[in-house]
Amino acid sequence: MSEVLNVSEMFGKNVFNDAVMKDRLPKNVYKKLKKTIEDGAELDPSIADVVAHAMKDWAIERGATHYTHWFQPLTGVTAEKHDSFISAPNDGKVIMEFSGKELIKGEPDASSFPSGGLRATFEARGYTVWDCSSPAFLREDAIGVTLCIPTSFCSYKGESLDKKTPLLRSMQAVNEQALRILRLFGNTTAKRVAPSVGAEQEYFLVDREKYLQRKDLIYTGRTLFGAMPPKGQELEDHYFGAIRERIGSYMNDVNKELWKLGVPAKTQHNEVAPAQHELAPIYEGVNQAVDHNQIVMETLKKVAGRHGMACLLHEKPFAGVNGSGKHNNWSLTADDGTNLLNPGDTPHENIQFLLVLACIIKAVDVHADLLRESAADVGNDHRLGANEAPPAIISIFLGEQLEDVIDQLCSTGEATHSKKGGTLKTGVDILPDLDKDATDRNRTSPFAFTGNKFEFRMVGSSDSIASPNAVLNTIVAEAFKEAADKLEKAGDFDMAVHDLIKETLSAHRRIIFNGNGYADEWVVEAEQRGLPNIRSMVDAIPALTTDKAVKLFEEFCVFTRAELESRAEVEYENYSKAINIEARTMYDMASKSIIPAVIKYTTGLAASITAVKSACPDADVSTQTELLLETSDLLSETKTALSRLAEMTEKAAAAEGGKTQALVYHQDVVPAMAALRAPVDQLEMIVDKELWPMPSYGDLIFEV
Ligand code: ADP
Ligand code: MG
């Protein structure tokens, strides 16, 4: 028997959470802090010293030697700088110190983080600012035990240089507007409405030894070459398949780590592709969910190393098999526990729900480009609108029941009934009959209503979920505001809300699509409906700085124009840098290992032909000769493509201006990479496996 896990004892053990604070802080301090955390009240800086002291004692008792302000710069991963708690030695002795000032404010040298021109390099100052709404936690690893304090990161002038600050601002915006909607429906008690988010995380696991033999995986997180093995994912035998020992023991360790950090890891299963898996936590407030998703990604990687594996979070580590995404489940919850997205059993009578739904539909339709942009990252270009679904077109799936209600509303002006799910009958007596959901699922929709939440399925597996949620919160805040502005002035509320729902739905129902989002016909139909189809990251970025976007984000104080422009700039830069690394890695692999291996193979073939011929002049060497010809042709194609890639990469590297440069990488370098990959993948199928310089797809995904 393995050890008995006491999960409830383990859960949150390394978190300075509510229970710890209640226990360790003086009552008045605890109350003040709680008011900030729960009601969003301004933080009283006078309590910082007391909190810092308690936090330090708690951390030191658990072996901590250092603390760090943990933040989320625009790189998409987290950053930290560690300081030990020791004071200046006095008589050779140190004491362990941590002041309120150190808790509240940090000052990392900001000049090494992307700022997209927000901060000139000579203005190096940047501040990290304590976010008390996300609890501090202890990380235990090879460095030791470190107290991690979640923080925002901004410039000397207060401009956001990170992903958290805009998210927090967007939460304020949607809270304020959602409360106006609740008040209109007579709710006078709710004090706060906050987005709830559960992010399902997909990932791949490969053997570490094999991983280390692939420069592409090491440098870029994905394979840049690789032919499909005889077996791919076509048998569909991996999805939800039994979890193998090695993977199971890994998942077990991941869960333990996450539970200690208060991450409510809940579901784990094998995914569609071989070697692909998923982890889903229970949903939480969006700020926590974003921080926790970062912790999940870090933990998945860290624990993989301990198990002799590498975890790949890239959106498309292997061509030809399923890629990885991150389903962002989103809803709005009031502090009294009501979920604003809960339709109840009879949605046609639930006017508040219908208004909320109409507002979300409008928001998604009006700002489809922004939502698409929020899911754009370099790796996701291989999924969205490329080799794989979900498509790059934003549409909403509502399901039969709600679509029917909307049909009734739009055609007759009244919705009189809601379809029911009925009973599931299996035809087996001993199996119980079940109540069916009123609606089936649709796995092809990028934005699907799933019972009491929307599931945004476009987000990439390696990306932070901060941006998609900041966008969602803000666009919905805008739709709520426009509705509340009208309704608060209306004489007859019932009539006005009825008309507004009908009007809004009629105007924006083009975004609703319940069919197969993967079908080619949808692309054509979406175009006829006037829905944007934005196929790549470089095409998506301009959405950030349109007049529409600037007006939206400035109105709700989520981003200033300068902050938006800086983000666009950083994204172009990130794109160019990533493609540049990929192109150079390909060049390196092809010229230093693949071409030499192929030459060795052809030399062997040629020698064999000569040897056979001289031993037996009548022997038929046509097979070897054909192989030699085919290989030599592919080799020469490879060489030509390699030279072209080098040329294009140089051209791109020399291009000036973030956007111009990114476009050259997109339009010239990416196709040149594909042109190099094609002959190499064919060669891999021909050349002796012993000679091929790296593990194959088969080795990587079937032999973990
Ligand atoms: P699925 O619906 O995708 O089959 P689940 O129902 O288990 O799977 O939910 C997937 C994720 O959605 C989980 O992280 C879950 O906690 C989260 N989730 C469930 N309800 C909500 C909600 N009301 N708001 C946000 N996320 C939710
Ligand atoms: Mg899901």
Side-chain angles (χ1 to χ4, degrees):
M1 267 305 274
S2 54
E3 61 182 312
V4 176
L5 279 187
N6 187 338
V7 179
S8 43
E9 219 166 79
M10 178 184 282
F11 192 84
K13 185 171 155 264
N14 287 347
V15 186
F16 194 73
N17 56 22
D18 188 58
V20 180
M21 290 194 283
K22 198 168 185 176
D23 187 36
R24 292 186 172 243
L25 294 175
K27 220 176 189 158
N28 63 327
V29 172
Y30 170 76
K31 267 196 184 150
K32 279 187 184 165
L33 190 56
K34 193 92 175 140
K35 210 161 168 49
T36 299
I37 295 170
E38 282 185 355
D39 305 341
E42 207 166 306
L43 179 75
D44 175 354
S46 70
I47 63 171
D49 270 326
V50 183
V51 179
H53 195 79
M55 223 184 238
K56 178 204 71 182
D57 285 350
W58 172 82
I60 289 174
E61 281 163 29
R62 282 156 185 75
T65 53
H66 288 69
Y67 70 91
T68 179
H69 276 196
W70 186 74
F71 59 105
Q72 303 174 25
L74 299 176
T75 52
V77 290
T78 57
E80 49 198 72
K81 180 187 85 176
H82 297 193
D83 280 295
S84 73
F85 290 113
I86 63 168
S87 61
N90 190 356
D91 277 347
K93 285 206 181 339
V94 295
I95 49 167
M96 301 295 254
E97 278 182 340
F98 186 48
S99 68
K101 209 168 137 237
E102 287 167 309
L103 167 64
I104 288 189
K105 187 179 109 188
E107 201 191 322
D109 174 1
S111 58
S112 308
F113 293 101
S115 80
L118 263 186
R119 192 209 49 240
T121 19
F122 60 88
E123 296 167 348
R125 261 186 217 277
Y127 296 108
T128 48
V129 188
W130 179 35
D131 167 21
C132 67
S133 64
S134 184
F137 57 92
L138 292 177
R139 205 173 40 208
E140 303 167 302
D141 51 25
I143 307 180
V145 183
T146 309
L147 171 67
C148 300
I149 299 154
T151 52
S152 275
F153 178 43
C154 56
S155 76
Y156 187 65
K157 297 195 181 96
E159 287 147 329
S160 144
L161 295 173
D162 70 345
K163 303 227 169 201
K164 184 190 270 276
T165 315
L167 178 76
L168 294 173
R169 295 174 183 161
S170 76
M171 289 169 66
Q172 276 174 212
V174 77
N175 170 48
E176 191 181 324
Q177 302 304 329
L179 281 175
R180 287 177 71 192
I181 300 287
L182 289 184
R183 299 286 181 259
L184 280 165
F185 285 89
N187 181 332
T188 51
T189 49
K191 287 202 301 260
R192 213 168 149 71
V193 176
S196 303
V197 165
E200 303 163 57
Q201 175 73 48
E202 292 180 331
Y203 60 94
F204 278 84
L205 288 173
V206 296
D207 185 84
R208 189 165 162 76
E209 289 298 314
K210 291 176 190 147
Y211 167 89
L212 290 174
Q213 293 167 47
R214 300 238 10 169
K215 287 211 169 113
D216 45 6
L217 287 180
I218 296 173
Y219 295 136
T220 74
R222 75 175 178 110
T223 54
L224 300 168
F225 299 103
M228 272 305 288
K231 178 184 169 185
Q233 64 188 46
E234 59 276 60
L235 291 182
E236 299 181 333
D237 52 357
H238 191 256
Y239 189 56
F240 281 20
I243 296 168
R244 275 166 303 138
E245 286 261 318
R246 185 179 191 188
I247 309 296
S249 125
Y250 163 80
M251 287 177 169
N252 186 15
D253 270 0
V254 166
N255 287 336
K256 283 194 262 182
E257 290 278 320
L258 291 177
W259 288 335
K260 279 196 270 179
L261 291 168
V263 180
K266 170 89 175 163
T267 309
Q268 60 205 17
H269 60 79
N270 288 349
E271 257 301 329
V272 176
Q276 192 186 27
H277 311 278
E278 179 181 299
L279 182 153
I282 297 172
Y283 66 96
E284 308 170 272
V286 61
N287 185 31
Q288 273 280 270
V290 168
D291 287 358
H292 280 171
N293 182 249
Q294 291 289 352
I295 294 179
V296 165
M297 291 195 284
E298 285 173 18
T299 307
L300 286 171
K301 288 196 153 178
K302 193 161 76 181
V303 176
R306 292 187 205 145
H307 286 253
M309 295 189 285
C311 172
L312 308 178
L313 293 173
H314 194 281
E315 285 75 12
K316 195 77 177 176
F318 304 100
V321 294
N322 222 52
S324 298
K326 183 136 56 188
H327 293 175
N328 188 82
N329 295 272
W330 179 93
S331 67
L332 286 172
T333 318
D335 55 350
D336 59 11
T338 29
N339 174 355
L340 275 61
L341 273 72
N342 187 357
D345 291 337
T346 50
H348 70 283
E349 295 171 330
N350 188 344
I351 307 300
Q352 180 185 304
F353 168 75
L354 289 176
L355 178 66
V356 168
L357 182 70
C359 286
I360 295 175
I361 290 170
K362 173 180 168 181
V364 173
D365 185 31
V366 172
H367 297 294
D369 58 338
L370 274 178
L371 215 43
R372 163 67 181 91
E373 202 293 323
S374 76
D377 72 12
V378 189
N380 230 2
D381 268 11
H382 300 279
R383 296 172 68 232
L384 305 180
N387 314 320
E388 186 187 315
I393 307 164
I394 297 268
S395 66
I396 300 180
F397 170 80
L398 288 181
E400 238 177 290
Q401 188 190 48
L402 290 181
E403 177 143 52
D404 177 61
V405 171
I406 288 175
D407 271 343
Q408 295 175 51
L409 269 169
C410 292
S411 56
T412 66
E414 282 310 324
T416 56
H417 57 274
S418 300
K419 287 188 173 177
K420 295 270 172 266
T423 307
L424 178 81
K425 292 195 160 57
T426 59
V428 179
D429 292 341
I430 57 164
L431 297 181
D433 290 343
L434 299 179
D435 289 338
K436 273 203 297 196
D437 292 297
T439 296
D440 195 6
R441 292 191 182 246
N442 179 324
R443 297 271 173 211
T444 65
S445 177
F447 201 82
F449 187 72
T450 45
N452 60 3
K453 63 186 193 283
F454 273 102
E455 186 170 349
F456 183 33
R457 299 211 182 98
M458 264 189 183
V459 187
S461 48
S462 69
D463 212 358
S464 157
I465 54 168
S467 305
N469 286 302
V471 168
L472 259 172
N473 298 343
T474 314
I475 63 178
V476 171
E478 182 190 53
F480 282 168
K481 175 177 186 293
E482 285 165 5
D485 284 349
K486 270 198 189 150
L487 296 173
E488 281 168 1
K489 285 198 294 248
D492 181 341
F493 175 73
D494 290 346
M495 183 84 110
V497 74
H498 174 274
D499 289 350
L500 182 66
I501 292 171
K502 189 175 162 216
E503 243 171 64
T504 310
L505 290 173
S506 307
H508 299 286
R509 62 187 302 197
R510 65 172 187 165
I511 193 85
I512 301 171
F513 177 62
N514 283 338
N516 179 6
Y518 294 0
D520 293 337
E521 298 88 72
W522 169 231
V523 177
V524 180
E525 192 186 326
E527 196 180 339
Q528 284 161 358
R529 293 189 188 190
L531 302 179
N533 182 0
I534 304 170
R535 289 166 196 274
S536 71
M537 176 167 170
V538 291
D539 293 326
I541 298 171
L544 281 175
T545 48
T546 59
D547 290 344
K548 173 172 76 88
V550 174
K551 181 174 163 288
L552 166 82
F553 287 122
E554 289 201 330
E555 174 168 10
F556 293 97
C557 304
V558 174
F559 290 113
T560 62
R561 178 187 286 275
E563 286 172 336
L564 286 167
E565 282 167 357
S566 77
R567 268 154 183 85
E569 200 54 32
V570 169
E571 294 208 10
Y572 285 126
E573 266 171 35
N574 286 349
Y575 183 85
S576 295
K577 283 183 191 157
I579 302 293
N580 187 52
I581 295 171
E582 290 192 352
R584 288 180 193 278
T585 305
M586 271 190 116
Y587 188 90
D588 196 70
M589 291 168 77
S591 54
K592 293 206 190 125
S593 33
I594 295 168
I595 292 178
V598 178
I599 292 176
K600 208 173 198 177
Y601 175 70
T602 50
T603 313
L605 264 181
S608 126
I609 295 172
T610 323
V612 172
K613 269 288 181 199
S614 77
C616 177
D618 293 337
D620 177 5
V621 289
S622 60
T623 307
Q624 294 97 310
T625 313
E626 258 172 51
L627 269 178
L628 184 56
L629 281 172
E630 195 185 344
T631 312
S632 304
D633 279 353
L634 287 167
L635 185 60
S636 115
E637 198 186 315
T638 303
K639 183 70 189 73
T640 312
L642 189 68
S643 308
R644 168 127 187 114
L645 178 63
E647 198 186 309
M648 289 303 116
T649 312
E650 248 169 62
K651 177 180 160 191
E656 285 189 23
K659 182 175 183 178
T660 315
Q661 184 171 52
L663 280 169
V664 183
Y665 275 106
H666 179 57
Q667 288 161 0
D668 296 328
V669 179
V670 169
M673 286 165 60
L676 173 59
R677 177 172 186 151
V680 170
D681 286 0
Q682 274 174 276
L683 282 166
E684 188 184 347
M685 305 293 279
I686 300 172
V687 172
D688 196 341
K689 184 157 172 45
E690 301 290 295
L691 292 177
W692 199 251
M694 63 195 108
S696 68
Y697 270 26
D699 301 332
L700 287 165
I701 59 182
F702 285 104
E703 293 171 30
V704 192

